[in-house]
Amino acid sequence: MRIGMALNYSGGFKETVAELADYEKAGLDIVFVAEAYSFDAVSQMGYIAARTERLQIASGILPIYSRTPTLLAMTAAGLDFVSDGRFTLGLGASGPQVIEGFHGVPYTAPLGRTREVIEICRKVWRRERVEHAGKHYTLPLPPGQGTGLGKPLKLINHPVRSRIPIVVAAIGPKNVELTAELAEGWEPIFYLPEKAADVWGPSLAAGQARRDPELGELDVIAQATLAIGDDVAGLREFGRPMAALYIGGMGAKGTNFYNDLARRYGYEKEAEQIQDLYLEGKKDEAAALVPAELLERTSLIGSEGFVRDRVQALKESGVTTLNVSPLGRTHEERVRLIATIKEIAG
Protein backbone atom coordinates (compact mmCIF):
# COMPACT_ATOMS: atom_id res chain seq x y z
CA MET A 1 0.00 0.00 0.00
CA ARG A 2 1.43 3.39 -1.03
CA ILE A 3 1.38 6.24 1.48
CA GLY A 4 0.37 9.65 0.20
CA MET A 5 -0.14 13.00 1.87
CA ALA A 6 -2.20 16.03 0.99
CA LEU A 7 0.02 19.11 0.90
CA ASN A 8 -0.95 21.51 3.66
CA TYR A 9 0.93 24.77 3.64
CA SER A 10 -0.89 26.77 6.28
CA GLY A 11 2.51 27.51 7.78
CA GLY A 12 3.93 28.69 4.46
CA PHE A 13 4.23 26.94 1.11
CA LYS A 14 8.00 27.14 0.67
CA GLU A 15 8.54 26.00 4.24
CA THR A 16 6.25 23.00 3.72
CA VAL A 17 7.99 21.99 0.50
CA ALA A 18 11.38 22.22 2.20
CA GLU A 19 10.05 19.74 4.78
CA LEU A 20 8.97 17.22 2.11
CA ALA A 21 12.49 15.79 2.04
CA ASP A 22 11.95 14.55 5.59
CA TYR A 23 8.67 12.93 4.61
CA GLU A 24 10.40 11.26 1.67
CA LYS A 25 12.98 9.75 4.04
CA ALA A 26 10.16 8.59 6.34
CA GLY A 27 8.58 6.62 3.48
CA LEU A 28 6.09 8.99 1.86
CA ASP A 29 5.40 7.84 -1.70
CA ILE A 30 3.21 10.55 -3.22
CA VAL A 31 2.04 14.08 -2.42
CA PHE A 32 -1.31 15.48 -3.60
CA VAL A 33 -1.70 19.18 -4.37
CA ALA A 34 -5.21 20.60 -4.39
CA GLU A 35 -6.61 23.34 -6.60
CA ALA A 36 -9.82 24.99 -5.50
CA TYR A 37 -9.95 28.78 -5.74
CA SER A 38 -6.60 29.64 -4.20
CA PHE A 39 -3.22 29.56 -5.93
CA ASP A 40 -3.07 27.33 -8.98
CA ALA A 41 -1.71 23.84 -8.31
CA VAL A 42 0.50 23.66 -11.41
CA SER A 43 3.10 26.24 -10.39
CA GLN A 44 3.27 24.63 -6.95
CA MET A 45 3.79 21.13 -8.36
CA GLY A 46 6.59 22.40 -10.60
CA TYR A 47 8.27 23.86 -7.54
CA ILE A 48 7.87 20.57 -5.67
CA ALA A 49 9.38 18.67 -8.61
CA ALA A 50 12.48 20.85 -8.41
CA ARG A 51 12.84 20.34 -4.66
CA THR A 52 12.30 16.56 -4.42
CA GLU A 53 13.92 13.51 -5.99
CA ARG A 54 11.84 10.36 -5.47
CA LEU A 55 8.42 11.61 -4.40
CA GLN A 56 5.52 11.09 -6.78
CA ILE A 57 3.48 14.27 -7.38
CA ALA A 58 -0.24 14.35 -8.12
CA SER A 59 -2.82 17.02 -8.72
CA GLY A 60 -5.64 16.49 -6.32
CA ILE A 61 -7.50 17.67 -8.38
CA LEU A 62 -7.35 19.84 -11.50
CA PRO A 63 -10.95 20.70 -12.50
CA ILE A 64 -11.89 19.62 -16.00
CA TYR A 65 -13.74 22.88 -16.71
CA SER A 66 -11.07 25.51 -16.07
CA ARG A 67 -8.62 24.32 -18.76
CA THR A 68 -9.13 22.96 -22.25
CA PRO A 69 -8.48 19.23 -22.66
CA THR A 70 -5.33 19.88 -24.67
CA LEU A 71 -4.02 22.34 -22.08
CA LEU A 72 -4.60 19.71 -19.39
CA ALA A 73 -2.57 17.28 -21.51
CA MET A 74 0.20 19.82 -22.15
CA THR A 75 0.35 20.70 -18.47
CA ALA A 76 0.56 17.05 -17.42
CA ALA A 77 3.29 16.37 -19.98
CA GLY A 78 5.23 19.41 -18.78
CA LEU A 79 4.99 18.40 -15.13
CA ASP A 80 5.96 14.84 -15.99
CA PHE A 81 8.99 16.24 -17.84
CA VAL A 82 10.28 18.48 -15.04
CA SER A 83 9.72 15.69 -12.48
CA ASP A 84 11.41 12.98 -14.59
CA GLY A 85 8.25 10.92 -14.87
CA ARG A 86 6.87 11.38 -11.35
CA PHE A 87 3.56 13.09 -12.16
CA THR A 88 0.00 11.80 -11.88
CA LEU A 89 -2.85 13.79 -13.39
CA GLY A 90 -5.68 13.96 -10.89
CA LEU A 91 -8.90 15.15 -12.52
CA GLY A 92 -12.33 15.97 -11.16
CA ALA A 93 -15.45 17.93 -11.91
CA SER A 94 -15.29 20.09 -8.76
CA GLY A 95 -18.75 21.60 -8.27
CA PRO A 96 -21.03 24.30 -9.67
CA GLN A 97 -20.25 26.77 -6.88
CA VAL A 98 -16.58 26.92 -7.87
CA ILE A 99 -16.90 26.31 -11.61
CA GLU A 100 -19.73 28.75 -12.25
CA GLY A 101 -18.99 31.10 -9.38
CA PHE A 102 -15.22 31.48 -9.69
CA HIS A 103 -14.53 30.47 -13.30
CA GLY A 104 -17.78 31.61 -14.91
CA VAL A 105 -18.11 28.39 -16.92
CA PRO A 106 -21.37 26.42 -17.12
CA TYR A 107 -21.25 23.25 -15.01
CA THR A 108 -22.63 20.85 -17.59
CA ALA A 109 -22.17 17.17 -18.47
CA PRO A 110 -19.35 16.28 -16.04
CA LEU A 111 -19.50 12.63 -17.01
CA GLY A 112 -19.32 13.13 -20.76
CA ARG A 113 -16.67 15.82 -20.48
CA THR A 114 -14.46 13.65 -18.28
CA ARG A 115 -14.57 10.82 -20.81
CA GLU A 116 -13.61 13.13 -23.68
CA VAL A 117 -10.88 14.88 -21.68
CA ILE A 118 -9.23 11.54 -20.92
CA GLU A 119 -9.41 10.48 -24.57
CA ILE A 120 -7.92 13.76 -25.82
CA CYS A 121 -5.15 13.77 -23.20
CA ARG A 122 -3.99 10.32 -24.23
CA LYS A 123 -3.97 11.31 -27.91
CA VAL A 124 -1.76 14.29 -27.07
CA TRP A 125 0.68 12.17 -25.03
CA ARG A 126 0.93 9.64 -27.89
CA ARG A 127 1.84 12.59 -30.14
CA GLU A 128 -1.04 11.91 -32.49
CA ARG A 129 -2.50 14.71 -34.51
CA VAL A 130 -5.37 15.75 -32.32
CA GLU A 131 -8.68 15.31 -34.04
CA HIS A 132 -11.77 14.84 -31.94
CA ALA A 133 -15.44 15.06 -32.80
CA GLY A 134 -17.27 14.65 -29.54
CA LYS A 135 -20.43 15.95 -28.00
CA HIS A 136 -18.58 18.44 -25.83
CA TYR A 137 -15.27 19.09 -27.59
CA THR A 138 -14.47 19.41 -31.30
CA LEU A 139 -10.86 19.65 -32.46
CA PRO A 140 -10.05 21.40 -34.70
CA LEU A 141 -13.00 23.78 -34.71
CA PRO A 142 -14.91 23.38 -38.00
CA PRO A 143 -15.82 26.27 -40.30
CA GLY A 144 -18.75 28.13 -38.86
CA GLN A 145 -17.54 27.74 -35.26
CA GLY A 146 -14.36 29.72 -35.75
CA THR A 147 -12.24 31.20 -38.51
CA GLY A 148 -12.01 27.87 -40.30
CA LEU A 149 -8.20 28.07 -40.16
CA GLY A 150 -7.69 25.47 -37.44
CA LYS A 151 -5.78 22.34 -38.39
CA PRO A 152 -4.90 19.12 -36.58
CA LEU A 153 -1.68 19.50 -34.60
CA LYS A 154 0.42 17.18 -32.48
CA LEU A 155 2.51 17.95 -29.44
CA ILE A 156 5.91 19.36 -30.44
CA ASN A 157 7.82 17.81 -27.55
CA HIS A 158 8.30 14.11 -26.93
CA PRO A 159 6.73 13.38 -23.52
CA VAL A 160 8.68 11.41 -20.92
CA ARG A 161 5.80 8.90 -20.93
CA SER A 162 3.21 8.28 -23.61
CA ARG A 163 0.67 7.40 -20.91
CA ILE A 164 0.70 9.53 -17.79
CA PRO A 165 -1.39 8.01 -14.98
CA ILE A 166 -4.83 9.57 -14.60
CA VAL A 167 -6.70 9.56 -11.31
CA VAL A 168 -10.34 10.66 -11.21
CA ALA A 169 -12.06 11.96 -8.10
CA ALA A 170 -15.55 10.47 -8.24
CA ILE A 171 -18.33 9.37 -5.90
CA GLY A 172 -21.47 9.22 -8.05
CA PRO A 173 -22.39 5.78 -9.47
CA LYS A 174 -21.91 6.70 -13.14
CA ASN A 175 -18.73 8.69 -12.48
CA VAL A 176 -17.23 5.77 -10.54
CA GLU A 177 -18.17 3.39 -13.36
CA LEU A 178 -16.44 5.62 -15.89
CA THR A 179 -13.38 5.89 -13.66
CA ALA A 180 -13.10 2.12 -13.28
CA GLU A 181 -13.30 1.81 -17.05
CA LEU A 182 -10.86 4.51 -18.15
CA ALA A 183 -8.55 5.74 -15.39
CA GLU A 184 -5.47 4.35 -13.68
CA GLY A 185 -6.74 5.48 -10.29
CA TRP A 186 -9.89 6.39 -8.38
CA GLU A 187 -10.06 8.84 -5.48
CA PRO A 188 -13.33 8.92 -3.55
CA ILE A 189 -13.92 11.21 -0.58
CA PHE A 190 -15.19 10.14 2.87
CA TYR A 191 -14.23 6.55 2.05
CA LEU A 192 -15.89 4.09 4.44
CA PRO A 193 -14.44 0.61 3.79
CA GLU A 194 -17.31 -1.31 5.37
CA LYS A 195 -19.78 0.39 3.01
CA ALA A 196 -17.62 0.58 -0.12
CA ALA A 197 -18.83 -2.65 -1.70
CA ASP A 198 -22.49 -1.82 -1.13
CA VAL A 199 -22.22 1.77 -2.34
CA TRP A 200 -19.72 1.44 -5.19
CA GLY A 201 -19.37 -2.28 -5.91
CA PRO A 202 -21.83 -2.47 -8.85
CA SER A 203 -20.36 0.67 -10.47
CA LEU A 204 -16.79 -0.59 -10.11
CA ALA A 205 -17.71 -3.98 -11.53
CA ALA A 206 -19.52 -2.47 -14.51
CA GLY A 207 -16.59 -0.20 -15.34
CA GLN A 208 -13.94 -2.85 -14.86
CA ALA A 209 -15.82 -5.18 -17.21
CA ARG A 210 -14.99 -2.71 -20.01
CA ARG A 211 -11.50 -1.83 -18.73
CA ASP A 212 -8.52 -2.15 -21.07
CA PRO A 213 -6.13 -4.69 -19.47
CA GLU A 214 -3.21 -2.41 -20.41
CA LEU A 215 -4.39 0.02 -17.73
CA GLY A 216 -3.55 -2.50 -15.02
CA GLU A 217 -5.34 -2.79 -11.72
CA LEU A 218 -7.31 0.25 -10.54
CA ASP A 219 -5.41 2.21 -7.88
CA VAL A 220 -7.95 2.97 -5.13
CA ILE A 221 -6.94 6.06 -3.13
CA ALA A 222 -8.57 6.61 0.26
CA GLN A 223 -8.17 9.80 2.28
CA ALA A 224 -7.94 9.90 6.06
CA THR A 225 -6.70 12.17 8.83
CA LEU A 226 -4.00 10.47 10.91
CA ALA A 227 -3.10 10.59 14.58
CA ILE A 228 -1.87 7.69 16.69
CA GLY A 229 -2.02 7.51 20.48
CA ASP A 230 -4.13 6.56 23.45
CA ASP A 231 -5.35 10.15 23.97
CA VAL A 232 -5.96 11.42 20.43
CA ALA A 233 -9.58 10.35 19.79
CA GLY A 234 -10.75 13.89 20.50
CA LEU A 235 -8.95 15.06 17.35
CA ARG A 236 -11.71 13.46 15.30
CA GLU A 237 -13.86 16.43 16.28
CA PHE A 238 -11.75 18.69 14.08
CA GLY A 239 -13.32 16.89 11.11
CA ARG A 240 -16.82 18.09 11.94
CA PRO A 241 -16.70 21.52 10.23
CA MET A 242 -15.28 20.09 7.01
CA ALA A 243 -17.76 17.21 6.93
CA ALA A 244 -20.61 19.65 7.55
CA LEU A 245 -19.34 21.93 4.78
CA TYR A 246 -19.36 19.10 2.25
CA ILE A 247 -22.54 17.33 3.39
CA GLY A 248 -24.44 20.53 4.03
CA GLY A 249 -22.98 23.33 1.96
CA MET A 250 -21.47 21.99 -1.26
CA GLY A 251 -24.44 22.65 -3.48
CA ALA A 252 -28.15 23.24 -3.21
CA LYS A 253 -30.73 20.62 -2.32
CA GLY A 254 -30.70 17.90 -4.93
CA THR A 255 -27.29 18.89 -6.33
CA ASN A 256 -24.98 18.02 -3.45
CA PHE A 257 -23.00 14.86 -4.31
CA TYR A 258 -21.56 14.57 -0.80
CA ASN A 259 -24.98 14.77 0.80
CA ASP A 260 -26.08 11.97 -1.52
CA LEU A 261 -23.08 9.89 -0.40
CA ALA A 262 -23.92 10.35 3.29
CA ARG A 263 -27.45 9.16 2.53
CA ARG A 264 -26.10 6.12 0.69
CA TYR A 265 -23.99 5.34 3.74
CA GLY A 266 -27.20 5.12 5.76
CA TYR A 267 -27.23 8.59 7.33
CA GLU A 268 -30.36 9.84 5.54
CA LYS A 269 -31.85 11.71 8.48
CA GLU A 270 -28.58 13.30 9.55
CA ALA A 271 -27.73 14.31 5.97
CA GLU A 272 -31.06 16.11 5.57
CA GLN A 273 -30.77 17.90 8.90
CA ILE A 274 -27.16 18.93 8.30
CA GLN A 275 -28.03 20.35 4.90
CA ASP A 276 -31.07 22.24 6.18
CA LEU A 277 -29.10 23.83 9.01
CA TYR A 278 -26.06 24.63 6.88
CA LEU A 279 -28.08 26.30 4.16
CA GLU A 280 -29.80 28.36 6.86
CA GLY A 281 -26.39 29.62 7.95
CA LYS A 282 -26.34 27.54 11.13
CA LYS A 283 -22.95 25.99 10.51
CA ASP A 284 -22.11 25.09 14.11
CA GLU A 285 -25.45 23.37 14.60
CA ALA A 286 -24.94 21.48 11.35
CA ALA A 287 -21.47 20.36 12.39
CA ALA A 288 -22.79 19.08 15.72
CA LEU A 289 -25.03 16.64 13.84
CA VAL A 290 -22.26 14.96 11.85
CA PRO A 291 -22.36 11.36 13.12
CA ALA A 292 -19.47 10.50 15.43
CA GLU A 293 -19.40 7.07 13.83
CA LEU A 294 -18.75 8.60 10.40
CA LEU A 295 -15.88 10.71 11.76
CA GLU A 296 -14.38 7.69 13.50
CA ARG A 297 -14.63 5.23 10.62
CA THR A 298 -13.36 7.57 7.91
CA SER A 299 -10.29 8.57 9.94
CA LEU A 300 -7.12 6.96 11.23
CA ILE A 301 -7.27 8.66 14.60
CA GLY A 302 -6.93 6.49 17.66
CA SER A 303 -4.68 3.97 19.36
CA GLU A 304 -2.15 2.04 17.32
CA GLY A 305 -4.36 -1.01 17.54
CA PHE A 306 -7.33 0.97 16.21
CA VAL A 307 -5.27 2.34 13.33
CA ARG A 308 -3.92 -1.11 12.45
CA ASP A 309 -7.46 -2.49 12.36
CA ARG A 310 -8.67 0.37 10.16
CA VAL A 311 -5.75 -0.04 7.75
CA GLN A 312 -6.56 -3.74 7.48
CA ALA A 313 -10.20 -2.90 6.74
CA LEU A 314 -9.07 -0.46 4.05
CA LYS A 315 -6.80 -3.07 2.47
CA GLU A 316 -9.53 -5.70 2.48
CA SER A 317 -11.92 -3.28 0.76
CA GLY A 318 -9.44 -2.76 -2.08
CA VAL A 319 -7.54 0.39 -1.11
CA THR A 320 -4.04 0.52 -2.60
CA THR A 321 -2.98 4.10 -1.77
CA LEU A 322 -3.60 5.72 1.59
CA ASN A 323 -3.68 9.52 1.36
CA VAL A 324 -3.27 10.82 4.92
CA SER A 325 -3.26 14.17 6.66
CA PRO A 326 -0.97 13.72 9.69
CA LEU A 327 -2.05 15.66 12.76
CA GLY A 328 0.89 16.61 14.93
CA ARG A 329 1.94 19.64 16.91
CA THR A 330 5.38 19.74 15.29
CA HIS A 331 6.96 18.80 12.00
CA GLU A 332 8.89 16.05 13.75
CA GLU A 333 5.68 14.52 15.10
CA ARG A 334 4.11 14.53 11.65
CA VAL A 335 7.18 12.89 10.13
CA ARG A 336 7.01 10.15 12.79
CA LEU A 337 3.36 9.60 11.91
CA ILE A 338 4.26 9.07 8.26
CA ALA A 339 6.99 6.60 9.24
CA THR A 340 4.58 4.74 11.52
CA ILE A 341 1.74 4.49 9.01
CA LYS A 342 4.25 3.33 6.36
CA GLU A 343 5.27 0.49 8.69
CA ILE A 344 1.66 -0.38 9.51
CA ALA A 345 0.60 -0.38 5.86
CA GLY A 346 3.48 -2.69 5.01
Side-chain angles (χ1 to χ4, degrees), residues 159-170:
V160 174
R161 292 180 290 178
S162 60
R163 199 186 81 213
I164 296 168
I166 293 175
V167 168
V168 178

Side-chain angles (χ1 to χ4, degrees), residues 160-344:
V160 174
R161 292 180 290 178
S162 60
R163 199 186 81 213
I164 296 168
I166 293 175
V167 168
V168 178
I171 55 176
K174 290 297 182 182
N175 285 3
V176 172
E177 182 177 332
L178 178 143
T179 301
E181 177 189 352
L182 296 179
E184 279 84 0
W186 167 49
E187 186 172 15
I189 194 171
F190 300 127
Y191 185 88
L192 188 56
E194 289 82 1
K195 296 284 187 179
D198 293 337
V199 172
W200 289 306
S203 298
L204 290 170
Q208 288 171 332
R210 299 189 299 273
R211 185 177 180 83
D212 186 338
E214 289 189 5
L215 289 174
E217 294 295 320
L218 183 69
D219 182 21
V220 180
I221 304 165
Q223 307 171 28
T225 46
L226 172 67
I228 302 174
D230 295 328
D231 58 350
V232 299
L235 294 176
R236 296 170 190 158
E237 293 298 307
F238 287 110
R240 284 189 179 278
M242 183 63 71
L245 167 64
Y246 277 81
I247 296 170
M250 286 292 193
K253 276 187 172 291
T255 59
N256 183 325
F257 317 121
Y258 312 101
N259 189 277
D260 293 343
L261 178 60
R263 292 172 185 269
R264 291 160 68 198
Y265 276 164
Y267 302 112
E268 295 92 347
K269 180 180 178 182
E270 294 90 338
E272 182 174 1
Q273 292 174 331
I274 291 168
Q275 187 174 53
D276 287 342
L277 288 168
Y278 206 97
L279 295 178
E280 291 172 9
K282 300 175 181 178
K283 297 180 181 179
D284 292 340
E285 292 92 331
L289 292 181
V290 174
E293 180 186 58
L294 180 63
L295 295 173
E296 175 185 347
R297 296 168 77 190
T298 56
S299 78
L300 292 172
I301 298 176
S303 67
E304 183 171 327
F306 170 84
V307 172
R308 287 186 181 276
D309 288 345
R310 297 310 296 158
V311 169
Q312 187 60 34
L314 289 163
K315 282 185 176 181
E316 290 175 357
S317 73
V319 171
T320 48
T321 297
L322 192 52
N323 184 16
V324 299
S325 297
L327 304 179
R329 290 168 294 181
T330 66
H331 170 63
E332 290 72 22
E333 287 184 14
R334 293 188 288 272
V335 170
R336 282 196 295 272
L337 282 169
I338 291 296
T340 302
I341 198 64
K342 181 68 173 180
E343 181 275 322
I344 290 173

Side-chain angles (χ1 to χ4, degrees), residues 119-137:
E119 181 179 339
I120 293 168
C121 280
R122 288 179 173 152
K123 282 185 179 180
V124 172
W125 299 333
R126 292 192 299 264
R127 295 192 73 243
E128 298 175 5
R129 294 194 182 277
V130 181
E131 296 181 89
H132 182 85
K135 183 176 181 180
H136 308 289
Y137 302 102

